[in-house]
Amino acid sequence: MDNKKLKKYITTFNTQTWDNKKDSLFSGYWSTSHKHHENISEKKILNYHWSNKSKLINDYEYLRKVYDQTLNKLVGVLNKHHKVDFTVKSWSILLSPWLISILSILFDKFETIKLALKKNKKYQTKILQYADEDFSSINYKDYIRNKITNDDWHHLIFTDLILKTFPENFVIKQIDKKVKIDKNYGYLTFKEKFLKFFSFKLFLKKSIFFLDTSHIKFIDVIKLMLNLNQFPFWISGFDETRCLTQKNINLALRTKLNNELESNTKDQFEIYLEQNIFNYLPMSCLENFNKYQIEAKKFSFKGQKIISRGAQLSNDLYKHWSIIQAEKGVKHHISFHGGGIPLKDINFGYEYKTFEKIIVHHKPFHKKQIKLPVLNFNKKIEYNSNSRDILVVFKPSNSKYLTRLDYCPNGPEDLEDFNILLKFAKKVNKKFQKQIKFRFFNDNWNFNDRLKIFKKDENKIYIDSLNKTKILVSSYLLTPFSEAIAGNIPSVCLLNKEKWIFNEKFKPLFDEMKRNKLIFFSEKECAKHVNENYSNILSWWSSEKVKTIVEKYLENIFYIENEEKLSIWSDYIKKGKNK
C-alpha cells in the first residue's frame, strides 16, 4: 500500500506529530486539546477500551496476576544485584506503588494500539526523538510530578510499544524535535522546611511508636504525642535530599537486568514487560539504592510500631526506612486519611499482603481492617440556611492518561465524568444556574475553559466552600462527599453508573441512598431534584428518612468522633506495647 494513503495514527497531544486531521485516527481524547475538539469528528477519536465494564473487570484480574508475577521476578533480580536478602513483603513497600501504576499505564497503551489495529492493519505515525534514559524517574515523587502528567513521556511509551511490539503495523516518520521530559523536581514549602528542621532524629530514636503526620493538624500531632509520652517527628524529616535525587542512570546495567528476568511466556504484552521493565524502574530502586539505604539507616528507630498515612506511597526515603524496620520485625500499619463507600478492590490488594493492619473509617469487611475515627476531619462546617451556592465537586484528576487501573473512572474517563456534570448544570433551572460553582482539584483537561457560562469555585480551602453551600453535588462518593455529609450539608452524588464498582457488602446502604435521592445515575433526574428542592432544601434533607440514611452513612462509612478521636487513636497505637 502507498504510504501516502495510509491513515495517520496520533498517539498523544503534540501538534508536531499531527498530519492531515481528515485522514487521522486519534488514540484518545488525550491526544487532542479542548480548542481542537470541536474541529475533530468523534469518529476520528478511538473509543476507550476500558469503557467496556466486563473488559475492565477481566483485565483487572489479569493485571493482578501479572503484578504478582512481576514483583516476584523483580525481587529475585534486585536481591541478587544489591546483594541483599529482603523479603517480597519488604520489597513490596518500595516497589508496589510504582509497579501497580506502570503496569496499568503500559497495558492501557498496549490495548489502545490493539484496538486501533482492529480498525486498520497498518498506519503511518510520527515520532519525536527521545533518549533511553527518559523512561525512568529519579524516584516516586518525580514519577508522579514529572512523568505521568507529561504528554511527551506518554508519547515515548506509545512509540516504544510500536517499535518493539507492533513494528510491522506502522510506517514511522521521525521528527527532529527532541522530547523534553525533565522538569524541576519540586521544592519544599516553607511549612515543610520548618517541620523538617524541627524533626530531630533523637526524638525518633527515643520513640516507641512512629506516626506518619501526613494530613494531620499541627496541634493534633502535638496532642497525640503527649498522649503517647514522646516527642513528635514529622514526616517532612524524611524528605529526600539533593544527593538522593541525582540523575545517574546506568543503561547498560538496566539492559543486563532485563536479560536476567526469566522468560516463560508467549503473551505479547508480558514479553514486552520482561524485556523492558527495568527501563522504567526509578533510580531510587536501582542506581541510587545504596545511597537511599545508607541515608535511611541514619534514622535510628528502636520502637515497635509504624503507622503510615500516605508516606508509604509517596516518599521513597521513607519506604527505604520502612524496609529496614520490616526486616527487623517492626509492625507496619497503614491508614487511609479520608473515606467513602469502598470500591470492589484497590491496588490489586497489595496493602493486605504487605502491611499488618489497615486502619479504615468504614465498617470493616476484612480481618486486617481496624475501624478508627477520621483523624483529619475537624468540624468547622456550619450550614447557613441563607447560603445560595450549588457546589459541584469533581474528583481529582491526576492526569489525562490512566495512571492506575481502578474500579472507578480514571484518566481519560475523568473527562466523561466532567461532561456529565456539565450536562447536569445545563439542566438546572436557569434562575438557579448562576449559583452553580464547579470545584476541581487539578486541571489536566482544561476544565476551566470548558465551563463557559459557569463559575469556578475559587476558595482554596474546601471547608470555606462548604460554609457557603446550599446543596452539594459530587461526582464521587469519597472524602469530599463524606465531609459534606458529616457537616450536615445537603448533599447528593451524581455517579457515572457504568464506571463505579463498589464493594457488595455496602450495596444495601447504596440502594437505600439511591431510593431516597442521595445518589443519582441520571443528570436529568439529579437536576430535577435540585430544581424541585432548591428553594426549600432543608424540607427534604431534614426528613426522617434522609436523616436516618445520613446517620447510617456516618456509622458505616465515615466514623466521626471529634471529641475522643485523639484518645481513641493513642489507645490503639499503644495497644500491644511491651512493658
PDB file of all heavy atoms in Angstrom, residues 63-69 71-72 87-90 92-93 96 100 332 334 345-358 366 368:
ATOM      1  N   LEU A  63      -4.216  -8.225  35.273  1.00  0.00           N
ATOM      2  CA  LEU A  63      -3.092  -7.405  35.734  1.00  0.00           C
ATOM      3  C   LEU A  63      -2.718  -7.716  37.172  1.00  0.00           C
ATOM      4  O   LEU A  63      -1.553  -7.552  37.555  1.00  0.00           O
ATOM      5  CB  LEU A  63      -3.407  -5.916  35.564  1.00  0.00           C
ATOM      6  CG  LEU A  63      -3.296  -5.375  34.138  1.00  0.00           C
ATOM      7  CD1 LEU A  63      -3.678  -3.905  34.085  1.00  0.00           C
ATOM      8  CD2 LEU A  63      -1.891  -5.576  33.585  1.00  0.00           C
ATOM      9  N   ARG A  64      -3.678  -8.155  37.973  1.00  0.00           N
ATOM     10  CA  ARG A  64      -3.350  -8.589  39.334  1.00  0.00           C
ATOM     11  C   ARG A  64      -2.356  -9.766  39.269  1.00  0.00           C
ATOM     12  O   ARG A  64      -1.379  -9.816  40.012  1.00  0.00           O
ATOM     13  CB  ARG A  64      -4.620  -9.017  40.083  1.00  0.00           C
ATOM     14  CG  ARG A  64      -4.357  -9.401  41.544  1.00  0.00           C
ATOM     15  CD  ARG A  64      -5.467 -10.310  42.066  1.00  0.00           C
ATOM     16  NE  ARG A  64      -6.765  -9.667  42.115  1.00  0.00           N
ATOM     17  CZ  ARG A  64      -7.195  -8.908  43.131  1.00  0.00           C
ATOM     18  NH1 ARG A  64      -6.427  -8.720  44.187  1.00  0.00           N
ATOM     19  NH2 ARG A  64      -8.410  -8.366  43.091  1.00  0.00           N
ATOM     20  N   LYS A  65      -2.629 -10.703  38.359  1.00  0.00           N
ATOM     21  CA  LYS A  65      -1.747 -11.860  38.182  1.00  0.00           C
ATOM     22  C   LYS A  65      -0.377 -11.417  37.675  1.00  0.00           C
ATOM     23  O   LYS A  65       0.661 -11.859  38.189  1.00  0.00           O
ATOM     24  CB  LYS A  65      -2.388 -12.846  37.195  1.00  0.00           C
ATOM     25  CG  LYS A  65      -1.569 -14.104  36.939  1.00  0.00           C
ATOM     26  CD  LYS A  65      -2.046 -14.828  35.684  1.00  0.00           C
ATOM     27  CE  LYS A  65      -1.579 -14.111  34.433  1.00  0.00           C
ATOM     28  NZ  LYS A  65      -1.840 -14.859  33.182  1.00  0.00           N
ATOM     29  N   VAL A  66      -0.365 -10.519  36.697  1.00  0.00           N
ATOM     30  CA  VAL A  66       0.897 -10.021  36.140  1.00  0.00           C
ATOM     31  C   VAL A  66       1.687  -9.267  37.206  1.00  0.00           C
ATOM     32  O   VAL A  66       2.928  -9.385  37.292  1.00  0.00           O
ATOM     33  CB  VAL A  66       0.630  -9.116  34.917  1.00  0.00           C
ATOM     34  CG1 VAL A  66       1.919  -8.455  34.443  1.00  0.00           C
ATOM     35  CG2 VAL A  66       0.015  -9.927  33.781  1.00  0.00           C
ATOM     36  N   TYR A  67       0.977  -8.486  38.029  1.00  0.00           N
ATOM     37  CA  TYR A  67       1.633  -7.743  39.119  1.00  0.00           C
ATOM     38  C   TYR A  67       2.349  -8.710  40.067  1.00  0.00           C
ATOM     39  O   TYR A  67       3.529  -8.513  40.398  1.00  0.00           O
ATOM     40  CB  TYR A  67       0.604  -6.907  39.878  1.00  0.00           C
ATOM     41  CG  TYR A  67       1.023  -6.555  41.287  1.00  0.00           C
ATOM     42  CD1 TYR A  67       1.979  -5.571  41.523  1.00  0.00           C
ATOM     43  CD2 TYR A  67       0.483  -7.240  42.378  1.00  0.00           C
ATOM     44  CE1 TYR A  67       2.389  -5.273  42.816  1.00  0.00           C
ATOM     45  CE2 TYR A  67       0.882  -6.950  43.668  1.00  0.00           C
ATOM     46  CZ  TYR A  67       1.832  -5.964  43.888  1.00  0.00           C
ATOM     47  OH  TYR A  67       2.238  -5.677  45.164  1.00  0.00           O
ATOM     48  N   ASP A  68       1.662  -9.759  40.513  1.00  0.00           N
ATOM     49  CA  ASP A  68       2.268 -10.722  41.435  1.00  0.00           C
ATOM     50  C   ASP A  68       3.496 -11.384  40.810  1.00  0.00           C
ATOM     51  O   ASP A  68       4.550 -11.517  41.449  1.00  0.00           O
ATOM     52  CB  ASP A  68       1.251 -11.797  41.836  1.00  0.00           C
ATOM     53  CG  ASP A  68       0.201 -11.293  42.807  1.00  0.00           C
ATOM     54  OD1 ASP A  68       0.513 -10.350  43.570  1.00  0.00           O
ATOM     55  OD2 ASP A  68      -0.923 -11.837  42.809  1.00  0.00           O
ATOM     56  N   GLN A  69       3.375 -11.796  39.548  1.00  0.00           N
ATOM     57  CA  GLN A  69       4.480 -12.470  38.864  1.00  0.00           C
ATOM     58  C   GLN A  69       5.682 -11.532  38.700  1.00  0.00           C
ATOM     59  O   GLN A  69       6.828 -11.917  38.962  1.00  0.00           O
ATOM     60  CB  GLN A  69       4.025 -12.952  37.486  1.00  0.00           C
ATOM     61  CG  GLN A  69       3.013 -14.083  37.519  1.00  0.00           C
ATOM     62  CD  GLN A  69       2.461 -14.407  36.128  1.00  0.00           C
ATOM     63  OE1 GLN A  69       2.678 -13.659  35.174  1.00  0.00           O
ATOM     64  NE2 GLN A  69       1.752 -15.510  36.017  1.00  0.00           N
ATOM     65  N   LEU A  71       6.404  -8.719  40.366  1.00  0.00           N
ATOM     66  CA  LEU A  71       7.008  -8.361  41.652  1.00  0.00           C
ATOM     67  C   LEU A  71       7.983  -9.446  42.103  1.00  0.00           C
ATOM     68  O   LEU A  71       9.122  -9.157  42.503  1.00  0.00           O
ATOM     69  CB  LEU A  71       5.925  -8.149  42.709  1.00  0.00           C
ATOM     70  CG  LEU A  71       6.418  -7.845  44.127  1.00  0.00           C
ATOM     71  CD1 LEU A  71       7.189  -6.524  44.153  1.00  0.00           C
ATOM     72  CD2 LEU A  71       5.237  -7.777  45.107  1.00  0.00           C
ATOM     73  N   ASN A  72       7.574 -10.695  42.023  1.00  0.00           N
ATOM     74  CA  ASN A  72       8.429 -11.796  42.453  1.00  0.00           C
ATOM     75  C   ASN A  72       9.698 -11.892  41.604  1.00  0.00           C
ATOM     76  O   ASN A  72      10.794 -12.155  42.120  1.00  0.00           O
ATOM     77  CB  ASN A  72       7.657 -13.114  42.411  1.00  0.00           C
ATOM     78  CG  ASN A  72       6.750 -13.289  43.615  1.00  0.00           C
ATOM     79  OD1 ASN A  72       7.206 -13.577  44.717  1.00  0.00           O
ATOM     80  ND2 ASN A  72       5.454 -13.105  43.419  1.00  0.00           N
ATOM     81  N   THR A  87      12.743  -9.707  51.919  1.00  0.00           N
ATOM     82  CA  THR A  87      11.559 -10.496  51.586  1.00  0.00           C
ATOM     83  C   THR A  87      10.744  -9.800  50.502  1.00  0.00           C
ATOM     84  O   THR A  87      10.895  -8.591  50.264  1.00  0.00           O
ATOM     85  CB  THR A  87      10.678 -10.693  52.828  1.00  0.00           C
ATOM     86  OG1 THR A  87      10.193  -9.402  53.251  1.00  0.00           O
ATOM     87  CG2 THR A  87      11.441 -11.363  53.959  1.00  0.00           C
ATOM     88  N   VAL A  88       9.872 -10.553  49.870  1.00  0.00           N
ATOM     89  CA  VAL A  88       8.950  -9.969  48.882  1.00  0.00           C
ATOM     90  C   VAL A  88       8.109  -8.885  49.563  1.00  0.00           C
ATOM     91  O   VAL A  88       7.830  -7.825  48.977  1.00  0.00           O
ATOM     92  CB  VAL A  88       8.034 -11.059  48.285  1.00  0.00           C
ATOM     93  CG1 VAL A  88       6.964 -10.436  47.385  1.00  0.00           C
ATOM     94  CG2 VAL A  88       8.859 -12.070  47.492  1.00  0.00           C
ATOM     95  N   LYS A  89       7.722  -9.140  50.808  1.00  0.00           N
ATOM     96  CA  LYS A  89       6.922  -8.175  51.566  1.00  0.00           C
ATOM     97  C   LYS A  89       7.667  -6.851  51.739  1.00  0.00           C
ATOM     98  O   LYS A  89       7.098  -5.771  51.560  1.00  0.00           O
ATOM     99  CB  LYS A  89       6.604  -8.795  52.932  1.00  0.00           C
ATOM    100  CG  LYS A  89       5.555  -8.076  53.736  1.00  0.00           C
ATOM    101  CD  LYS A  89       5.257  -8.902  54.979  1.00  0.00           C
ATOM    102  CE  LYS A  89       4.283  -8.204  55.887  1.00  0.00           C
ATOM    103  NZ  LYS A  89       4.017  -9.009  57.098  1.00  0.00           N
ATOM    104  N   SER A  90       8.958  -6.927  52.048  1.00  0.00           N
ATOM    105  CA  SER A  90       9.761  -5.703  52.212  1.00  0.00           C
ATOM    106  C   SER A  90       9.921  -4.975  50.879  1.00  0.00           C
ATOM    107  O   SER A  90       9.757  -3.754  50.797  1.00  0.00           O
ATOM    108  CB  SER A  90      11.135  -6.048  52.788  1.00  0.00           C
ATOM    109  OG  SER A  90      11.036  -6.493  54.124  1.00  0.00           O
ATOM    110  N   SER A  92       7.983  -5.081  48.426  1.00  0.00           N
ATOM    111  CA  SER A  92       6.680  -4.557  48.013  1.00  0.00           C
ATOM    112  C   SER A  92       6.454  -3.140  48.539  1.00  0.00           C
ATOM    113  O   SER A  92       5.820  -2.317  47.885  1.00  0.00           O
ATOM    114  CB  SER A  92       5.566  -5.484  48.504  1.00  0.00           C
ATOM    115  OG  SER A  92       4.302  -4.983  48.144  1.00  0.00           O
ATOM    116  N   ILE A  93       6.992  -2.848  49.733  1.00  0.00           N
ATOM    117  CA  ILE A  93       6.859  -1.498  50.298  1.00  0.00           C
ATOM    118  C   ILE A  93       7.453  -0.473  49.344  1.00  0.00           C
ATOM    119  O   ILE A  93       6.874   0.591  49.098  1.00  0.00           O
ATOM    120  CB  ILE A  93       7.552  -1.417  51.677  1.00  0.00           C
ATOM    121  CG1 ILE A  93       6.828  -2.309  52.691  1.00  0.00           C
ATOM    122  CG2 ILE A  93       7.608   0.024  52.179  1.00  0.00           C
ATOM    123  CD1 ILE A  93       7.546  -2.440  54.032  1.00  0.00           C
ATOM    124  N   SER A  96       5.803  -1.538  45.001  1.00  0.00           N
ATOM    125  CA  SER A  96       4.412  -1.718  44.575  1.00  0.00           C
ATOM    126  C   SER A  96       3.695  -0.447  44.121  1.00  0.00           C
ATOM    127  O   SER A  96       2.998  -0.473  43.102  1.00  0.00           O
ATOM    128  CB  SER A  96       3.609  -2.415  45.673  1.00  0.00           C
ATOM    129  OG  SER A  96       3.976  -3.778  45.745  1.00  0.00           O
ATOM    130  N   ILE A 100       2.367  -1.016  40.333  1.00  0.00           N
ATOM    131  CA  ILE A 100       0.923  -1.047  40.030  1.00  0.00           C
ATOM    132  C   ILE A 100       0.594  -0.005  38.966  1.00  0.00           C
ATOM    133  O   ILE A 100      -0.167  -0.261  38.030  1.00  0.00           O
ATOM    134  CB  ILE A 100       0.107  -0.821  41.307  1.00  0.00           C
ATOM    135  CG1 ILE A 100       0.241  -2.027  42.240  1.00  0.00           C
ATOM    136  CG2 ILE A 100      -1.364  -0.555  40.993  1.00  0.00           C
ATOM    137  CD1 ILE A 100      -0.175  -1.751  43.670  1.00  0.00           C
ATOM    138  N   HIS A 332       4.057  -2.768  60.804  1.00  0.00           N
ATOM    139  CA  HIS A 332       3.743  -1.600  59.980  1.00  0.00           C
ATOM    140  C   HIS A 332       2.253  -1.600  59.665  1.00  0.00           C
ATOM    141  O   HIS A 332       1.752  -2.498  58.987  1.00  0.00           O
ATOM    142  CB  HIS A 332       4.557  -1.636  58.682  1.00  0.00           C
ATOM    143  CG  HIS A 332       4.603  -0.330  57.957  1.00  0.00           C
ATOM    144  ND1 HIS A 332       5.635   0.030  57.113  1.00  0.00           N
ATOM    145  CD2 HIS A 332       3.758   0.731  57.954  1.00  0.00           C
ATOM    146  CE1 HIS A 332       5.411   1.220  56.615  1.00  0.00           C
ATOM    147  NE2 HIS A 332       4.260   1.666  57.095  1.00  0.00           N
ATOM    148  N   ILE A 334      -1.068   0.797  58.149  1.00  0.00           N
ATOM    149  CA  ILE A 334      -1.333   1.968  57.306  1.00  0.00           C
ATOM    150  C   ILE A 334      -2.766   2.439  57.513  1.00  0.00           C
ATOM    151  O   ILE A 334      -3.639   1.676  57.934  1.00  0.00           O
ATOM    152  CB  ILE A 334      -1.090   1.687  55.805  1.00  0.00           C
ATOM    153  CG1 ILE A 334      -2.085   0.667  55.258  1.00  0.00           C
ATOM    154  CG2 ILE A 334       0.336   1.248  55.564  1.00  0.00           C
ATOM    155  CD1 ILE A 334      -2.103   0.601  53.745  1.00  0.00           C
ATOM    156  N   ASP A 345     -12.212  -3.386  44.910  1.00  0.00           N
ATOM    157  CA  ASP A 345     -10.822  -3.691  45.242  1.00  0.00           C
ATOM    158  C   ASP A 345      -9.984  -2.493  44.848  1.00  0.00           C
ATOM    159  O   ASP A 345     -10.396  -1.682  44.001  1.00  0.00           O
ATOM    160  CB  ASP A 345     -10.354  -4.942  44.483  1.00  0.00           C
ATOM    161  CG  ASP A 345      -8.990  -5.422  44.954  1.00  0.00           C
ATOM    162  OD1 ASP A 345      -8.756  -5.380  46.177  1.00  0.00           O
ATOM    163  OD2 ASP A 345      -8.166  -5.832  44.115  1.00  0.00           O
ATOM    164  N   ILE A 346      -8.812  -2.331  45.456  1.00  0.00           N
ATOM    165  CA  ILE A 346      -7.874  -1.294  45.023  1.00  0.00           C
ATOM    166  C   ILE A 346      -6.466  -1.867  45.033  1.00  0.00           C
ATOM    167  O   ILE A 346      -6.141  -2.741  45.836  1.00  0.00           O
ATOM    168  CB  ILE A 346      -7.924  -0.026  45.905  1.00  0.00           C
ATOM    169  CG1 ILE A 346      -7.585  -0.357  47.366  1.00  0.00           C
ATOM    170  CG2 ILE A 346      -9.262   0.674  45.799  1.00  0.00           C
ATOM    171  CD1 ILE A 346      -7.365   0.872  48.227  1.00  0.00           C
ATOM    172  N   ASN A 347      -5.655  -1.371  44.122  1.00  0.00           N
ATOM    173  CA  ASN A 347      -4.213  -1.666  44.108  1.00  0.00           C
ATOM    174  C   ASN A 347      -3.889  -3.157  44.102  1.00  0.00           C
ATOM    175  O   ASN A 347      -2.867  -3.578  44.657  1.00  0.00           O
ATOM    176  CB  ASN A 347      -3.525  -1.000  45.308  1.00  0.00           C
ATOM    177  CG  ASN A 347      -3.600   0.517  45.243  1.00  0.00           C
ATOM    178  OD1 ASN A 347      -3.661   1.097  44.167  1.00  0.00           O
ATOM    179  ND2 ASN A 347      -3.636   1.146  46.396  1.00  0.00           N
ATOM    180  N   PHE A 348      -4.754  -3.960  43.466  1.00  0.00           N
ATOM    181  CA  PHE A 348      -4.536  -5.414  43.382  1.00  0.00           C
ATOM    182  C   PHE A 348      -4.358  -6.044  44.766  1.00  0.00           C
ATOM    183  O   PHE A 348      -3.736  -7.104  44.904  1.00  0.00           O
ATOM    184  CB  PHE A 348      -3.330  -5.744  42.501  1.00  0.00           C
ATOM    185  CG  PHE A 348      -3.370  -5.110  41.139  1.00  0.00           C
ATOM    186  CD1 PHE A 348      -2.247  -4.503  40.593  1.00  0.00           C
ATOM    187  CD2 PHE A 348      -4.551  -5.100  40.403  1.00  0.00           C
ATOM    188  CE1 PHE A 348      -2.291  -3.916  39.337  1.00  0.00           C
ATOM    189  CE2 PHE A 348      -4.601  -4.517  39.143  1.00  0.00           C
ATOM    190  CZ  PHE A 348      -3.474  -3.921  38.608  1.00  0.00           C
ATOM    191  N   GLY A 349      -4.885  -5.361  45.791  1.00  0.00           N
ATOM    192  CA  GLY A 349      -4.826  -5.896  47.152  1.00  0.00           C
ATOM    193  C   GLY A 349      -3.438  -5.882  47.766  1.00  0.00           C
ATOM    194  O   GLY A 349      -3.188  -6.576  48.757  1.00  0.00           O
ATOM    195  N   TYR A 350      -2.523  -5.052  47.234  1.00  0.00           N
ATOM    196  CA  TYR A 350      -1.134  -5.099  47.722  1.00  0.00           C
ATOM    197  C   TYR A 350      -1.021  -4.711  49.191  1.00  0.00           C
ATOM    198  O   TYR A 350      -0.176  -5.239  49.932  1.00  0.00           O
ATOM    199  CB  TYR A 350      -0.243  -4.220  46.832  1.00  0.00           C
ATOM    200  CG  TYR A 350       0.269  -2.939  47.466  1.00  0.00           C
ATOM    201  CD1 TYR A 350       1.462  -2.926  48.179  1.00  0.00           C
ATOM    202  CD2 TYR A 350      -0.433  -1.736  47.344  1.00  0.00           C
ATOM    203  CE1 TYR A 350       1.949  -1.755  48.754  1.00  0.00           C
ATOM    204  CE2 TYR A 350       0.035  -0.580  47.913  1.00  0.00           C
ATOM    205  CZ  TYR A 350       1.237  -0.583  48.617  1.00  0.00           C
ATOM    206  OH  TYR A 350       1.704   0.574  49.200  1.00  0.00           O
ATOM    207  N   GLU A 351      -1.866  -3.782  49.645  1.00  0.00           N
ATOM    208  CA  GLU A 351      -1.782  -3.356  51.048  1.00  0.00           C
ATOM    209  C   GLU A 351      -2.005  -4.523  52.006  1.00  0.00           C
ATOM    210  O   GLU A 351      -1.350  -4.617  53.050  1.00  0.00           O
ATOM    211  CB  GLU A 351      -2.807  -2.254  51.346  1.00  0.00           C
ATOM    212  CG  GLU A 351      -2.474  -0.912  50.736  1.00  0.00           C
ATOM    213  CD  GLU A 351      -3.162  -0.664  49.411  1.00  0.00           C
ATOM    214  OE1 GLU A 351      -3.653  -1.646  48.808  1.00  0.00           O
ATOM    215  OE2 GLU A 351      -3.216   0.493  48.971  1.00  0.00           O
ATOM    216  N   TYR A 352      -2.937  -5.420  51.663  1.00  0.00           N
ATOM    217  CA  TYR A 352      -3.281  -6.522  52.561  1.00  0.00           C
ATOM    218  C   TYR A 352      -2.201  -7.603  52.586  1.00  0.00           C
ATOM    219  O   TYR A 352      -2.112  -8.385  53.527  1.00  0.00           O
ATOM    220  CB  TYR A 352      -4.638  -7.106  52.159  1.00  0.00           C
ATOM    221  CG  TYR A 352      -5.750  -6.104  52.362  1.00  0.00           C
ATOM    222  CD1 TYR A 352      -6.163  -5.270  51.324  1.00  0.00           C
ATOM    223  CD2 TYR A 352      -6.356  -5.958  53.599  1.00  0.00           C
ATOM    224  CE1 TYR A 352      -7.155  -4.326  51.511  1.00  0.00           C
ATOM    225  CE2 TYR A 352      -7.354  -5.013  53.799  1.00  0.00           C
ATOM    226  CZ  TYR A 352      -7.751  -4.198  52.761  1.00  0.00           C
ATOM    227  OH  TYR A 352      -8.723  -3.246  52.959  1.00  0.00           O
ATOM    228  N   LYS A 353      -1.371  -7.651  51.536  1.00  0.00           N
ATOM    229  CA  LYS A 353      -0.256  -8.613  51.510  1.00  0.00           C
ATOM    230  C   LYS A 353       1.000  -8.033  52.158  1.00  0.00           C
ATOM    231  O   LYS A 353       1.909  -8.779  52.522  1.00  0.00           O
ATOM    232  CB  LYS A 353       0.068  -8.986  50.057  1.00  0.00           C
ATOM    233  CG  LYS A 353      -1.081  -9.626  49.292  1.00  0.00           C
ATOM    234  CD  LYS A 353      -0.709  -9.774  47.829  1.00  0.00           C
ATOM    235  CE  LYS A 353      -1.883 -10.245  46.995  1.00  0.00           C
ATOM    236  NZ  LYS A 353      -1.577 -10.265  45.547  1.00  0.00           N
ATOM    237  N   THR A 354       1.042  -6.710  52.309  1.00  0.00           N
ATOM    238  CA  THR A 354       2.284  -6.039  52.690  1.00  0.00           C
ATOM    239  C   THR A 354       2.296  -5.550  54.133  1.00  0.00           C
ATOM    240  O   THR A 354       3.335  -5.600  54.798  1.00  0.00           O
ATOM    241  CB  THR A 354       2.541  -4.850  51.733  1.00  0.00           C
ATOM    242  OG1 THR A 354       2.495  -5.313  50.381  1.00  0.00           O
ATOM    243  CG2 THR A 354       3.881  -4.188  51.999  1.00  0.00           C
ATOM    244  N   PHE A 355       1.161  -5.068  54.625  1.00  0.00           N
ATOM    245  CA  PHE A 355       1.119  -4.432  55.936  1.00  0.00           C
ATOM    246  C   PHE A 355       0.293  -5.252  56.933  1.00  0.00           C
ATOM    247  O   PHE A 355      -0.613  -6.002  56.543  1.00  0.00           O
ATOM    248  CB  PHE A 355       0.548  -3.020  55.812  1.00  0.00           C
ATOM    249  CG  PHE A 355       1.320  -2.164  54.844  1.00  0.00           C
ATOM    250  CD1 PHE A 355       0.820  -1.898  53.568  1.00  0.00           C
ATOM    251  CD2 PHE A 355       2.557  -1.648  55.183  1.00  0.00           C
ATOM    252  CE1 PHE A 355       1.538  -1.135  52.660  1.00  0.00           C
ATOM    253  CE2 PHE A 355       3.289  -0.885  54.282  1.00  0.00           C
ATOM    254  CZ  PHE A 355       2.780  -0.626  53.016  1.00  0.00           C
ATOM    255  N   GLU A 356       0.605  -5.084  58.225  1.00  0.00           N
ATOM    256  CA  GLU A 356      -0.039  -5.906  59.263  1.00  0.00           C
ATOM    257  C   GLU A 356      -1.501  -5.537  59.468  1.00  0.00           C
ATOM    258  O   GLU A 356      -2.356  -6.400  59.623  1.00  0.00           O
ATOM    259  CB  GLU A 356       0.723  -5.783  60.589  1.00  0.00           C
ATOM    260  CG  GLU A 356       1.913  -6.709  60.716  1.00  0.00           C
ATOM    261  CD  GLU A 356       3.095  -6.280  59.858  1.00  0.00           C
ATOM    262  OE1 GLU A 356       3.220  -5.061  59.575  1.00  0.00           O
ATOM    263  OE2 GLU A 356       3.890  -7.143  59.466  1.00  0.00           O
ATOM    264  N   LYS A 357      -1.797  -4.239  59.500  1.00  0.00           N
ATOM    265  CA  LYS A 357      -3.167  -3.777  59.733  1.00  0.00           C
ATOM    266  C   LYS A 357      -3.487  -2.613  58.800  1.00  0.00           C
ATOM    267  O   LYS A 357      -2.610  -1.815  58.451  1.00  0.00           O
ATOM    268  CB  LYS A 357      -3.370  -3.321  61.183  1.00  0.00           C
ATOM    269  CG  LYS A 357      -3.273  -4.436  62.223  1.00  0.00           C
ATOM    270  CD  LYS A 357      -4.437  -5.413  62.111  1.00  0.00           C
ATOM    271  CE  LYS A 357      -4.331  -6.522  63.154  1.00  0.00           C
ATOM    272  NZ  LYS A 357      -5.419  -7.527  63.002  1.00  0.00           N
ATOM    273  N   ILE A 358      -4.753  -2.502  58.422  1.00  0.00           N
ATOM    274  CA  ILE A 358      -5.241  -1.409  57.585  1.00  0.00           C
ATOM    275  C   ILE A 358      -6.288  -0.644  58.400  1.00  0.00           C
ATOM    276  O   ILE A 358      -7.346  -1.193  58.739  1.00  0.00           O
ATOM    277  CB  ILE A 358      -5.897  -1.919  56.282  1.00  0.00           C
ATOM    278  CG1 ILE A 358      -5.045  -3.016  55.634  1.00  0.00           C
ATOM    279  CG2 ILE A 358      -6.180  -0.767  55.339  1.00  0.00           C
ATOM    280  CD1 ILE A 358      -3.709  -2.584  55.128  1.00  0.00           C
ATOM    281  N   HIS A 366     -12.679  -6.916  56.255  1.00  0.00           N
ATOM    282  CA  HIS A 366     -11.501  -7.765  56.089  1.00  0.00           C
ATOM    283  C   HIS A 366     -10.859  -7.941  57.457  1.00  0.00           C
ATOM    284  O   HIS A 366     -10.859  -7.026  58.285  1.00  0.00           O
ATOM    285  CB  HIS A 366     -10.523  -7.108  55.111  1.00  0.00           C
ATOM    286  CG  HIS A 366      -9.395  -7.994  54.676  1.00  0.00           C
ATOM    287  ND1 HIS A 366      -8.298  -8.252  55.477  1.00  0.00           N
ATOM    288  CD2 HIS A 366      -9.181  -8.681  53.515  1.00  0.00           C
ATOM    289  CE1 HIS A 366      -7.461  -9.053  54.831  1.00  0.00           C
ATOM    290  NE2 HIS A 366      -7.970  -9.327  53.642  1.00  0.00           N
ATOM    291  N   LYS A 368      -7.936  -7.859  58.409  1.00  0.00           N
ATOM    292  CA  LYS A 368      -6.832  -6.949  58.712  1.00  0.00           C
ATOM    293  C   LYS A 368      -7.294  -5.518  58.993  1.00  0.00           C
ATOM    294  O   LYS A 368      -6.489  -4.671  59.378  1.00  0.00           O
ATOM    295  CB  LYS A 368      -5.820  -6.945  57.561  1.00  0.00           C
ATOM    296  CG  LYS A 368      -4.856  -8.119  57.578  1.00  0.00           C
ATOM    297  CD  LYS A 368      -3.656  -7.843  56.686  1.00  0.00           C
ATOM    298  CE  LYS A 368      -2.600  -8.929  56.859  1.00  0.00           C
ATOM    299  NZ  LYS A 368      -1.357  -8.617  56.103  1.00  0.00           N
TER     300      LYS A 368
END
